[in-house]
Amino acid sequence: MTTAHPRARILIGKPGLDGHDRGAKYIVHILRDAGYEVVYTGIRRSPEQIVEAAIQEDVAAIGLSLLSGAHNELFRQVIDLLKARGAEDILVFGGGIIPASDIPGLHEMGMAAVFTPGSSAKEIIATVDRLLSVRQEV
Amino acid sequence: MNEDIVHLVCDVRQNPAENTRAAARLMSLLENHPARITELYAGLADWPEPLMVLGITGPPGAGKSTLVDQLIELYRKRHPLRRLGVIAVDPSSHASKGSVMGDRVRMMRHATDPHVFVRSLAARGHLGGLALGVRGVLRVMGLMQCELILIETVGVGQSEMEVAEFADMVAIVLAPGQGDGIQLLKSGLMETGDVFVVNKADRDGANQLQSQLLTTLNLRASVADAGAPPPVCMTSALGGDGMDGFLDLLEDHCARSADQWLTQRKQRFEQEVEQAVLQEAHRRLADMLRTSGIGSEGITRVLRGETTVNELATVLLQLGARGKPPYNEGHVDERRP
């Protein structure tokens, strides 16, 4: 598999209190195999930690994995913090146990993509490729 | 944000605390275009210098990132006003070119500390334990007025010693259970350490590793007549045991060697500029050899015996003296080795 931006950097974070990191690590793995440079930040991080790390690492996108049900609140916090830091050009996508009824609201708050347990690796990579292909790398 | 190198440098220099984003962008620029570091040389005369650049190297899983995390914690407690930078290098896939950079996982408790800046780099096929971008990131961390800079290499084996070219001091982190005393006898990595750390000292085999290490280091120092052997620290970084002693040792070394390190860094800068000038000259000459008739004709004439390599080189150098500006259109993209 090749991507438009073979060296784009992506940060994968797990905000909040759930420690189920299998999904996050799976995403880290498939993004690596698709040619991305992936910074993994581990479990139980605050939105502040994730945003600060993303800025220091100068990533093109943040991927958030969340299985606790707090996605509406925590995804919003990450997006708001990015705005507050003048870093709203960093794309945010997310995934986890997310009810279909919440997805339109998440898009509205600025999530670039939302994946659920049915999403395939191919679909996720294709979406991330498409989202990042329009971004200008330095 | 103005993404021109001069502007970014200016922003970071004026207010490093407020301009972390500019610093991070500058690092990306220099990582993606390593040759553009030459644009910083004009500012190097008054570039802020860190007190210490410490290289941390050793085999995968020895506990390098955990040790770095504890060093950050302790250093920040001892010096609440000092800024600290970490460069963490992880390997790139030779197949996909992708990378998983996981060193930061161990250091995330410092993510919101405004005095700590952590940057992960993928090796991007570079051998030697580091990445091409390290030079630039190191320079930017100096500009941010980081007093201590830690460079954590990829997990290394026996030959990757590049970190010694960038660091004032190199700590080699080992852990018990990774081979017997024969490994300690081998050339390469084991010869470069200024300080050795036996991490996971709470585990079986740690004392044995320590005594084997001391034997090897003492023997080498006595045969070479090189003064005291490098010290060996015992740590259990996960719980923080032994960290105070390790940092004491580093700070003591720093106090004694600061002047020597500055001289050493200055010599390296001079070598770096020398290399850059040679590379630029080489690039211009190569361009002339390839593109101008004088080049291809000249080579033919050398082969016919009508002129010599020396004469051809002189002609090219005279022509080249007129020169071309660097970074013209079609400049090579270093991102693709």
Side-chain angles (χ1 to χ4, degrees), chain B residues 26-72:
Chain B
L26 192 53
M27 289 174 184
S28 299
L29 240 158
L30 294 170
E31 184 190 11
N32 292 338
H33 310 275
R36 293 193 65 182
I37 197 163
T38 54
E39 292 171 51
L40 303 181
Y41 289 158
L44 275 190
D46 64 339
W47 204 266
E49 284 287 330
L51 285 174
M52 170 162 49
V53 179
L54 175 71
I56 296 191
T57 190
K64 296 183 293 299
S65 303
T66 307
L67 195 82
V68 168
D69 170 67
Q70 292 284 9
L71 265 183
I72 302 172

Side-chain angles (χ1 to χ4, degrees), chain A residues 41-109:
Chain A
T41 50
I43 58 173
R44 300 194 187 100
R45 305 309 183 196
S46 68
E48 287 82 1
Q49 287 175 324
I50 289 171
V51 166
E52 196 51 48
I55 287 173
Q56 292 184 3
E57 299 287 1
D58 192 32
V59 292
I62 298 175
L64 299 171
S65 166
L66 216 149
L67 290 85
S68 70
H71 45 269
N72 288 328
E73 180 53 30
L74 291 168
F75 287 1
R76 179 186 299 282
Q77 283 183 25
V78 169
I79 287 172
D80 287 350
L81 283 165
L82 283 172
K83 275 187 194 141
R85 295 294 309 267
E88 58 267 48
D89 57 303
I90 299 178
L91 291 171
V92 186
F93 63 89
I97 311 289
I98 293 164
S101 56
D102 283 350
I103 293 178
L106 292 171
H107 282 302
E108 208 169 301
M109 75 167 72

Side-chain angles (χ1 to χ4, degrees), chain B residues 116-138:
Chain B
V116 178
F117 194 106
V118 179
R119 181 63 176 227
S120 313
L121 292 178
R124 297 187 175 177
H126 184 73
L127 301 175
L130 294 178
L132 271 184
V134 166
R135 198 183 296 279
V137 174
L138 192 59

